[in-house]
C-alpha cells in the first residue's frame, strides 16, 4: 500500500508488520482530518495523531503518567517493571531528582568533550568508507557512532562495545520478522547484567564517566540504589543508540533520493543546524510514545477514562499540515521546524543535544569527503511497532579527492 487511504479498523498499529509493509502517510493524513483521536481495536488503546493534541498530553504529567509504561509493548502488558526507578518511566519528585543527576552528564562542557570524540570517530569512519567506495552505511558507519558515544559517556571498555550493540539491536527491534519477545527480553537481561558488573567495578574505582557519577551521586544524602544505577545506564544505551543510528541512516537515504537537497547542503546553502532538524522530523525514529490516563480526560472531542492507554504518534504529528508547510517535502532549509521527534514537556529527550551533535557530524563528514553517493541495493527495514528505519543500506560514494588526500 503506498500512501493511499485506509480504514482505521484495517490498520493494526500494535503489529510491527504494519510498518514494515505499508506507507502509512495517507492513512495518517486521513486520521488527522477525520478521526484525530480514535479508539484502536484490537488491544484497546487511544490513538492521538494531531501535533497540538500530542503536546497537550506530553505537557501534562499530572493527569497522564509514564509509570505504567511509555511504549505500546509495556503499556499493553500492563506496566513497566522499571517504573519509579528508570527516568523515562518515573514521574513526580523522583523523576525530577533522577533527571537532575543524569543532566549533569549533558552539560555544555561535557558535551563539547564528547563532540570532539564524535567528530574524530565519524570522520575516520566516513574517510575509510569513502576510500573503499562501497559500504553498508547502516552497519559500517551509523552502526559504529552512537554506541561508541554512549560507550564513551558510560565508560564502557572498547572491547565490550560490539557485545552491547548486538544486545541493543535485539532488545529493541529486529531485522527478522520471526524474532520473538523472549529473545528481546534475554537481551535486555544481558545488558542489565553487564551494567551490574561494571557498576560494581566503578564503585571500587570511580572514573569521570556517567556510570561513576551515578554510583557516587546522593539525593537527600542517599545514594541511588544499585537497581536505579543499572536501569538508568540501560536507559541511556537503549535511548541513545538505535534512535540516533536510525536517524543518520534515514538522512543518507533521504539525501540520495533528493539530490537537490544534497546540493544545497554541499554548497552550504542549507546550514547544518536546520538540516539536522529536518532529518529528525523526516526520520521520526520513535513512531510513538504513550501514557496512561490517571483521571477522566477530554481531548479532541473524545473522553478518556482513568486507566486508558493513550498513544501519541510522532509519525503523524511530524507531518501535520496545520504545523508544517508542505509536510511531505524533505526541505533542509525548513524554518520554523517545530518537530516533536524528541517528545515534549517533562520527559523531553535528555540526549537531544547529543543526538543533534552526532547527526550534524555525519552530515559534515559526508559533505567534506564525498561529492555524492548512490544507494546501490535494497534497503532493509527494521521490524518494530515503536521504532522505524533501516538496518541495511548499501551505498557507493564518489570521493571528494581534494579533501581525502
Ligand atoms: C526521552 C527520542 C536520542 C536518552 C526521549 C523521548 C523521546 C526521545 C521522544 C521522550 C519519551 C517520553 O516522553 O516518554 C529520541 C530520539 C533520539 C534520542 C528521536 C535520536 C535521534 C537520545 C540519546 C540519549 C537519549 C542520544 C542519551 C544518550 C533519553 C532519555 C530519555 C529520553 C534518558 C528519558 C527522559 C525523561 O524521561 O526525562 N527520547 N531520543 N535519547 N531520551 Fe531520547
Amino acid at each position: 500500500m503506498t500512501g493511499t487511504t485506509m480504514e482505521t479498523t484495517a490498520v493494526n498499529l500494535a503489529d510491527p508488520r504494519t510498518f514494515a509493509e505499508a506507507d502509512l502517510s495517507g492513512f495518517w493524513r486521513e486520521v488527522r482530518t477525520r478521526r484525530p483521536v480514535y479508539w484502536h481495536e484490537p488491544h484497546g488503546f487511544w490513538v492521538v495523531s494531531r501535533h497540538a493534541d500530542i503536546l497537550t498530553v506530553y505537557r501534562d504529567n499530572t493527569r497522564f503518567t509514564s509509570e505504567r509504561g511509555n511504549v505500546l509493548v509495556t503499556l499493553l502488558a500492563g506496566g513497566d517493571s522499571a517504573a519509579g526507578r528508570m527516568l523515562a518511566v518515573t514521574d513526580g519528585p523522583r523523576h525530577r531528582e533522577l533527571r537532575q543527576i543524569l543532566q549533569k552528564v549533558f552539560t555544555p562542557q561535557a558535551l563539547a568533550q564528547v563532540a570532539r570524540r564524535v567528530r574524530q570517530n565519524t570522520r575516520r569512519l566516513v574517510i575509510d568508507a569513502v576510500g573503499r567506495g562501497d559500504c553498508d552505511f547502516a552497519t559500517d558507519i551509523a552502526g559504529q557512532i552512537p554506541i561508541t558515544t554512549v560507550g564513551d559517556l558510560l565508560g564502557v571498555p572498547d572491547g565490550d562495545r560490539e557485545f552491547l550493540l548486538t544486545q541493543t539491536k535485539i532488545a529493541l527491534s529486529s531485522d527478522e520478522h520471526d524474532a520473538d519477545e523472549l529473545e528481546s527480553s534475554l537481551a535486555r537481561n544481558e545488558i542489565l547484567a553487564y551494567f551490574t558488573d561494571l557498576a560494581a567495578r566503578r564503585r571500587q574505582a570511580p572514573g569521570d564517566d556517567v556510570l561513576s557519577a551515578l554510583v557516587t551521586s546522593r539525593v537527600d544524602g542517599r545514594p541511588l540504589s544499585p537497581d536505579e544505577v543499572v536501569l538508568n545506564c540501560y536507559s541511556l544505551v537503549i535511548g541513545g543508540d538505535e534512535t540516533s543510528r536510525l536517524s543518520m541512516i534515514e538522512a543518507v537515504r533521504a539525501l540520495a533520493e533528493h539530490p537537490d537537497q544534497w546540493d544545497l547542503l554541499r554548497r552550504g546553502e542549507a546550514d547544518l543546524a536546520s538540516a539536522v532538524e529536518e532529518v529528525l522530523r523526516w526520520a521520526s525514529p520513535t513512531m510513538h510514545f504513550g501514557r496512561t490516563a490517571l483521571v477522566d480526560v477530554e481531548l479532541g472531542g473524545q473522553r478518556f477514562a482513568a486507566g486508558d492507554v493513550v498513544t501519541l504518534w510522532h509519525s503523524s504529528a511530524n507531518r501535520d499540515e496545520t504545523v508544517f508547510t508542505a509536510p511531505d517535502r524533505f526541505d533542509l532549509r525548513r524554518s520554523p521546524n517545530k518537530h516533536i521527534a524528541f517528545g515534549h514537556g517533562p520527559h523531553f529527550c535528555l540526549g537531544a543535544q547529543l543526538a543533534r551533535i552526532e547527526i550534524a557530524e555525519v552530515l559534515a563528514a559526508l559533505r567534506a569527503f564525498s561529492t555524492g553517493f548512490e544507494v546501490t541495493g535494497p534497503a532493509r527495514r527494521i521490524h518494530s511497532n515503536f521504532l522505524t528505519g533501516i538496518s541495511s543500506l548499501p551505498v557507493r560514494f564518489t570521493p571528494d579527492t581534494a579533501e581525502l588526500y
Side-chain angles (χ1 to χ4, degrees):
M1 188 109 33
T2 50
T4 51
T5 58
M6 285 174 251
E7 274 303 308
T8 49
T9 47
V11 176
N12 183 352
L13 295 171
D15 185 348
R17 280 173 303 187
T18 303
F19 309 97
E21 289 161 8
D23 168 3
L24 296 181
S25 52
F27 163 75
W28 284 123
R29 209 175 301 125
E30 185 148 327
V31 166
R32 280 191 302 275
T33 316
R34 295 198 3 219
R35 302 181 73 192
V37 177
Y38 79 88
W39 182 250
H40 182 285
E41 293 285 4
H43 305 296
F45 56 87
W46 292 102
V47 173
V48 184
S49 57
R50 282 187 184 160
H51 193 277
D53 291 338
I54 291 178
L55 293 192
T56 302
V57 179
Y58 266 141
R59 274 190 206 111
D60 186 347
N61 64 346
T62 313
R63 293 186 303 164
F64 296 97
T65 183
S66 298
E67 297 211 342
R68 296 189 205 158
N70 68 344
V71 292
L72 266 175
V73 169
T74 47
L75 286 162
L76 295 180
D80 189 315
S81 56
R85 295 176 295 161
M86 186 166 88
L87 189 68
V89 284
T90 301
D91 278 313
R94 192 62 183 157
H95 175 256
R96 278 194 294 280
E97 289 162 359
L98 281 175
R99 196 163 164 115
Q100 254 169 24
I101 294 177
L102 283 159
Q103 240 161 2
K104 283 192 213 148
V105 181
F106 295 96
T107 59
Q109 299 90 308
L111 281 179
Q113 211 179 349
V114 175
R116 272 194 296 279
R117 288 203 295 265
V118 172
R119 174 167 303 178
Q120 279 170 359
N121 185 28
T122 307
R123 289 171 78 101
R124 181 181 54 76
L125 289 164
V126 170
I127 290 171
D128 286 356
V130 171
R132 286 200 306 278
D134 288 287
C135 78
D136 186 331
F137 184 83
T139 50
D140 298 345
I141 300 180
Q144 311 296 320
I145 297 169
I147 196 70
T148 306
T149 313
V150 178
D152 282 346
L153 274 177
L154 285 166
V156 172
D158 285 347
D160 299 345
R161 299 205 176 167
E162 201 52 46
F163 161 81
L164 268 190
L165 177 62
T166 309
Q167 300 304 325
T168 315
K169 278 188 185 166
I170 303 171
L172 263 195
S173 72
S174 175
D175 298 356
E176 305 302 327
H177 287 227
D178 55 2
D180 58 29
E181 185 43 34
L182 177 67
E183 208 190 351
S184 303
S185 106
L186 287 175
R188 285 194 281 274
N189 285 341
E190 287 282 346
I191 300 173
L192 294 174
Y194 174 79
F195 280 112
T196 306
D197 183 53
L198 192 61
R201 285 189 267 154
R202 293 290 178 268
R203 254 182 221 105
Q204 298 300 317
D208 61 0
D209 50 75
V210 179
L211 181 46
S212 300
L214 287 171
V215 294
T216 53
S217 288
R218 295 271 184 286
V219 179
D220 293 336
R222 279 191 309 118
L224 296 182
S225 70
D227 274 6
E228 285 174 319
V229 170
V230 168
L231 287 170
N232 285 293
C233 288
Y234 172 81
S235 98
L236 293 179
V237 174
I238 290 289
D241 174 43
E242 192 155 14
T243 47
S244 306
R245 179 151 46 87
L246 293 173
S247 307
M248 294 166 190
I249 300 167
E250 182 55 25
V252 167
R253 198 197 63 78
L255 285 168
E257 212 170 77
H258 299 87
D260 58 319
Q261 296 298 308
W262 166 249
D263 286 345
L264 289 178
L265 185 70
R266 209 173 134 65
R267 290 198 302 263
E269 288 167 27
D271 71 53
L272 269 185
S274 79
V276 168
E277 297 312 311
E278 182 66 347
V279 163
L280 286 160
R281 184 188 76 90
W282 195 252
S284 294
T286 54
M287 290 188 286
H288 76 270
F289 270 99
R291 302 288 188 258
T292 303
L294 287 171
V295 292
D296 294 1
V297 183
E298 224 174 279
L299 188 79
Q302 301 285 355
R303 192 165 185 82
F304 307 153
D308 282 356
V309 168
V310 179
T311 57
L312 314 169
W313 289 85
H314 299 178
S315 330
S316 171
N318 282 339
R319 296 281 201 282
D320 188 329
E321 40 291 287
T322 65
V323 177
F324 303 100
T325 314
D328 294 325
R329 197 171 67 214
F330 181 59
D331 173 7
L332 295 184
R333 294 193 288 191
R334 181 178 293 281
S335 174
N337 190 345
K338 294 181 184 307
H339 69 78
I340 54 162
F342 292 125
H344 184 75
H347 288 280
F348 180 80
C349 177
L350 195 71
Q353 210 39 37
L354 184 55
R356 288 181 167 122
I357 289 170
E358 291 175 324
I359 298 165
E361 289 302 340
V362 167
L363 296 180
L366 287 176
R367 76 174 180 189
F369 302 115
S370 156
T371 53
F373 42 84
E374 55 175 324
V375 174
T376 52
R380 197 171 57 232
R381 298 203 68 78
I382 62 162
H383 191 65
S384 168
N385 68 4
F386 167 52
L387 294 171
T388 183
I390 288 166
S391 61
S392 174
L393 187 71
V395 166
R396 180 168 306 136
F397 289 107
T398 316
D400 185 339
T401 39
E403 290 294 332
L404 271 180
Y405 304 107

